[in-house]
Each structure stands twice: as C-alpha cells, then as structure tokens.
Amino acid sequence: MNEVGKEYGDNQLDGLVPPSKSSGILEVEDDDSSFAQYAPTKPQKSLLFYVATVQAFIIIYRTEVMLGSILAICIGIAFSSSYHSHHKTFNPFEAAHIFHDYTSVTSMYDLSLGSIDHWCLRGDDNSCRCEDPLVPMSKRSSHKWDQQHTENIKVAQAALMKMFSNNNPWNNYEGYQANYDDEWIEGGDDDWVWGEGSRFGADDYGYDPNEMLGDYDYEDDGYGIPVESPPDGAGRKLGDDEGLDVVFVGDSITEQRQGTAMGKPHDDYTGIKEVFDKTFIRDKGGDFSGIAMGIAGDTSNNLLWRLLNGEMPNGLSPKAWWVGIGINDLSMKGCSEEVVLLGILRVVEEIQAAHPSDIIVINSLLPVQRNLAGLLEHFGKHHEDVALKKKEKNLLEEEMSEKRGHIDFWPSIVSINEKLKKFAASHPGVKFFNADSIFVEERQDGKYMKLDLFNDPVHPNLVGHKKWNSAIKKRLHEILKDGN
C-alpha cells in the first residue's frame, strides 16, 4: 500500500489533507475553517465593468432601448403640459388684454369682425355660444322675454307721451291730442311711435300685426289726414326744464330698477325700484326725469334688437342714455373680451346714429363673485399663483347659477372697461362711468368685491343700488350742467 502511494506521489500530500475521523464514511464537519483559508476570493467589480455591461446591453437591445426612450420623453412632455395647464405662470391680465384699438371708430360701419383673434373666453372658437355682436338678435321665442319687451315699449311710449304733453308749442297746436292712444301695442295702429309727425296727420307708416315688430309696408294706410306743419319751435326734443333727462337701458341689473325679474314683480327688487323712482322721477321727488328698460339675461345684440324695435322710438330723445350691458355676453355666453367690447360699441354707435346730440354714458361692467372671499386681484410677488389657488375654490353649486361659467372674469372685466374708458375719452358725446369705486375695495393684499352690496354674485342689493344711484346722480349733474 505504501508502495502504491509512493508510486502515485501520495506521500507528497501528507500533512496537507487532515485525516478522516471515520473510516469508510465521508463526513462533513461543522467547522469548515480549515477549508475557508483556501476558498477563492471574489474579484472587485470596477466602474468600468458596469459601463461595459450597460454598453453591451444597449448594443444588444438597441431597438428596445430607443423605443423606450421615446416613450419616456413623450410621457414627460404630457405630464409637464398637464402641470403647467393647471399651474399657470402667465399674468391673467396680460392674457385678457385687447390689442386692437377702437378709438378711431366713428360709426357702426367702422366695426368689423376681422380683428377678432378668438371668439371664446377660453381662447378658442367653439367652446362658447356667442352670436355675431354686430347683428341685432331677438329672443321672442321666449314668452316672458317678449312680454317684458312689450312692457318696455309701453314705458318708452308713456315717456314720449309725457314729453309731448309738457311741451307748450305742441299744446298750443290745435291738431295735437295730448292723451290720444290708438293702442298699437294692444294690436291696433299706433303709428306715432314710428311715423314722423303721424300724431298730426302725416300717418304714412302702416303697421300690420301679422308682421314682425319693426317691419313696415311703408304705404299710406289712410289713417291720417294731411294737415299743415306744426308751428315753429315745436320739436321732438324738449327744453332744458321739460325734457327727459336720462334713459337707462340694459339687462337684469337695469330691470331691477323696474322692480321686476323677467317681467314679474320681485320682492327683493321692490325697494330698488322705490329708490330709483325717488332719484330719477321728478313726480316722486327725484332730481331728474328718467326711465329704465331692461330684460334679464340680455346680451348686447339682444339690447340692440330691442332699441331697433320699439324701445328707442323716434322722438324719445333724452339728454343722456345710460348703457349697462355686456356681463351676460361674458359670463353666460362665454364670449371673448373683444367680442364683448364690439357688442357694447355696436349699441353705442346705434344710439349715437339715431340721436347724435344726446350724450351716451357707458357704465363699467360690474365685478362678478368667483370665490367665497370675494377676491378679485391679489397683490404681491407671487400674486398670480396665490390668486389662482384662492379663485379655483368656486362657490357652492347652489350659490352659483349654472348658466354662468365657473371661471375668473375679473381680468376680462378690467380689460373691457379699460377699452371702453379709452373709447369714451376719444368721443366727445360718449362718457364712461366707472363703478369700481362703489363695488370694489382695495385691501392690503388685493382687491375684493364689497359682498355686502350684492344679492348674489352678479346683482347689487338695495344698499348697493342706493350707493350706485347717488354716484350716478352726482355724475349726471356734472354731465347735464356742462356736458363734461
């Protein structure tokens, strides 16, 4: 055995391998420390190894890597766009700015749709319900609207009748019947509203009740008998002490002054009517002689249609027209700032064309509440972000009309009012009345609505109308005194 071992060199391993404690059976001892000192050590992987591994992976799976990279870039762009769309960094007042200059407009024919960049407030042309602001538009499909329009015509007719009855030259004319009414509104012939001098026999404008209001056959209906012309000095516009001072035309805010909402008496507006009457009706103690004609929900082209169809009859020529329209174009229709501006200017130009010697006062658009605090504009270094976070908290649904868009209107209102003010400054017969001093207050951190002056997010309450009427009265005295 020893010879065999020597033959194969086993004698050289003596002392290197420990002898087994058991013969014939291979057992593994718990203590492997004797083998640990001979176990090979793991090589240290350097940075170069990992770089080479990545490079090899890219080479082998280059198509998959390229497609994955493109997908990751697209997802990143999508998330970035979504983030910025909800966290605007631009100034909302700059976004609402109207760049086109309308100060050179001198008639309705100077107004054009070609300058409109976008029709809708959100910056597109399809997310709103805007009609052409330059075209008259009725709402006669609504029975309530048609009824209120008829009531407004009666108000205009009564004011015109009073103007004639108080004008001495006409009273001295034997052909004039001061209290005559041929009941055109009730369905007969009342051509005096449209026919120049028809009350004195020159009645050549026939009215067909089957035609739409304002359509005429322009043929002699045989109603009038030609008579001599009225005496010299008898005109449509009355003297300084006898005439109609002011006519208010507009939407629901104007209709509040009539004590109604869409033609129906409204309890909350009864006091508002009384305050208006005591300020603008001489017979009730007012400083002026005035009337109000409004319809809830009207836009500028609705008002334009009304003026052309009975609410601005020939002869109704007050010293001042007070125009309050446009907020429904913005908040209910969602029209862009420029579309709203064009609609208001179209109304102004129509009145001015019919009554070039009358003064037209454009009332500023009133603020609209968009959050519980009444915040309109925040001051400070990060005013855009702070204002946005506060404004995104809309009023509760039950407190906000579903007809009005739940977005911030104040930057748009500021932009429109600035353009209206600039337009008025360039036209001697047009004035601008800014109501912000009444309904907006400036605090340390920003501008806020005076919520105690409003019934709801849009309409002033009784106290608001009292303060507003006082300011209007003061301004009217200035305008009617020296025309400035």
Side-chain angles (χ1 to χ4, degrees):
M1 185 69 178
N2 291 336
E3 292 179 358
V4 174
K6 292 180 179 180
E7 181 179 355
Y8 289 94
D10 289 344
N11 57 338
Q12 298 177 1
L13 300 178
D14 293 343
L16 295 179
V17 180
S20 175
K21 294 181 181 180
S22 59
S23 58
I25 300 175
L26 181 61
E27 295 181 357
V28 179
E29 298 181 359
D30 293 337
D31 187 5
D32 294 336
S33 58
S34 57
F35 292 96
Q37 57 181 326
Y38 302 107
T41 59
K42 295 182 179 179
Q44 296 294 328
K45 296 180 180 179
S46 64
L47 177 63
L48 183 61
F49 170 82
Y50 293 105
V51 172
T53 302
V54 172
Q55 185 177 10
F57 180 85
I58 294 175
I59 293 174
I60 297 172
Y61 299 101
R62 54 184 176 274
T63 303
E64 291 82 354
V65 170
M66 184 179 298
L67 293 176
S69 300
I70 295 174
L71 179 61
I73 293 173
C74 293
I75 293 175
I77 294 174
F79 274 105
S80 177
S81 301
S82 176
Y83 177 84
H84 287 292
S85 66
H86 290 85
H87 300 79
K88 301 176 183 178
T89 58
F90 62 86
N91 190 324
F93 294 91
E94 293 179 359
H97 182 69
I98 302 172
F99 292 95
H100 191 77
D101 185 14
Y102 290 94
T103 55
S104 61
V105 171
T106 57
S107 75
M108 65 186 79
Y109 303 106
D110 295 332
L111 298 172
S112 171
L113 303 179
S115 61
I116 297 177
D117 177 70
H118 53 278
W119 279 73
C120 302
L121 190 59
R122 298 184 183 276
D124 62 338
D125 297 326
N126 300 313
S127 64
C128 56
R129 300 177 292 125
C130 294
E131 295 95 0
D132 187 336
L134 307 182
V135 176
M137 183 76 65
S138 78
K139 295 165 69 175
R140 299 193 71 183
S141 58
S142 168
H143 179 66
K144 292 181 179 179
W145 186 92
D146 193 42
Q147 278 188 324
Q148 181 60 19
H149 172 54
T150 301
E151 290 300 317
N152 287 345
I153 295 177
K154 290 182 178 181
V155 171
Q157 177 182 354
L160 193 54
M161 292 284 287
K162 187 175 181 179
M163 289 171 63
F164 286 145
S165 64
N166 290 336
N167 194 352
N168 289 332
W170 286 123
N171 287 339
N172 294 332
Y173 179 61
E174 62 181 3
Y176 171 65
Q177 303 176 41
N179 297 319
Y180 181 76
D181 183 7
D182 50 17
E183 298 182 346
W184 168 77
I185 294 186
E186 285 74 16
D189 262 343
D190 195 357
D191 305 306
W192 70 272
V193 175
W194 305 99
E196 191 70 29
S198 62
R199 283 288 184 174
F200 306 92
D203 185 6
D204 291 332
Y205 293 159
Y207 171 73
D208 182 355
N210 295 321
E211 294 177 348
M212 285 190 64
L213 190 63
D215 294 337
Y216 314 100
D217 54 19
Y218 296 99
E219 295 179 1
D220 192 341
D221 54 11
Y223 180 82
I225 301 174
V227 296
E228 58 183 316
S229 300
D232 293 339
R236 287 289 180 170
K237 192 169 183 177
L238 306 180
D240 291 340
D241 298 330
E242 299 170 333
L244 185 63
D245 292 315
V246 59
V247 173
F248 293 86
V249 291
D251 47 35
S252 58
I253 299 177
T254 303
E255 191 184 352
Q256 282 184 298
R257 296 177 167 124
Q258 298 170 265
T260 61
M262 194 58 78
K264 292 186 177 181
H266 198 289
D267 293 339
D268 292 340
Y269 300 163
T270 302
I272 294 174
K273 182 182 185 303
E274 292 176 356
V275 169
F276 175 83
D277 292 347
K278 291 179 181 179
T279 307
F280 299 105
I281 297 182
R282 283 200 181 95
D283 295 344
K284 297 186 178 181
D287 293 357
F288 304 97
S289 175
I291 59 174
M293 297 182 291
I295 300 183
D298 266 11
T299 59
S300 56
N301 51 3
N302 298 146
L303 175 57
L304 179 62
W305 190 93
R306 287 161 43 199
L307 294 174
L308 293 172
N309 291 272
E311 295 188 31
M312 188 176 63
N314 293 335
L316 186 67
S317 187
K319 299 180 182 71
W321 294 81
W322 202 281
V323 179
I325 199 69
I327 196 62
N328 291 324
D329 304 67
L330 185 70
S331 64
M332 291 180 64
K333 296 290 186 178
C335 302
S336 68
E337 296 84 1
E338 192 156 12
V339 172
V340 176
L341 176 65
L342 280 171
I344 298 172
L345 296 182
R346 177 67 177 87
V347 170
V348 171
E349 292 299 331
E350 187 63 45
I351 298 175
Q352 202 165 43
H355 304 279
S357 61
D358 296 351
I359 295 174
I360 302 172
V361 182
I362 308 174
N363 202 100
S364 65
L365 298 187
L366 303 188
V368 177
Q369 184 185 1
R370 304 314 306 164
N371 52 78
L372 298 177
L375 174 67
L376 298 173
E377 178 181 351
H378 190 274
F379 299 151
K381 184 177 180 181
H382 305 290
H383 66 278
E384 294 94 345
D385 293 334
V386 174
L388 181 63
K389 290 177 182 178
K390 290 187 178 181
K391 287 180 177 181
E392 282 182 342
K393 185 179 180 181
N394 287 325
L395 296 173
L396 298 176
E397 289 294 330
E398 57 268 20
E399 298 179 8
M400 177 65 67
S401 170
E402 295 180 356
K403 296 180 179 179
R404 300 184 186 275
H406 288 199
I407 56 177
D408 180 22
F409 297 118
W410 180 244
S412 302
I413 291 173
V414 170
S415 178
I416 295 169
N417 286 341
E418 286 177 351
K419 285 294 183 178
L420 290 174
K421 182 179 180 180
K422 189 175 180 180
F423 175 86
S426 303
H427 295 76
V430 182
K431 311 298 177 184
F432 178 74
F433 180 82
N434 193 345
D436 285 357
S437 59
I438 305 163
F439 297 108
V440 178
E441 63 178 342
E442 188 171 311
R443 302 177 189 172
Q444 185 176 2
D445 62 335
K447 292 183 179 180
Y448 290 79
M449 282 179 65
K450 296 180 180 180
L451 298 181
D452 58 325
L453 301 182
F454 285 85
N455 266 336
D456 53 43
V458 178
H459 301 92
N461 58 21
L462 177 58
V463 178
H465 273 278
K466 283 183 178 179
K467 293 179 178 293
W468 193 11
N469 288 344
S470 297
I472 292 175
K473 182 173 70 173
K474 180 180 178 181
R475 183 69 178 119
L476 266 180
H477 275 300
E478 297 171 354
I479 292 174
L480 300 184
K481 181 179 179 180
D482 53 19
N484 294 324

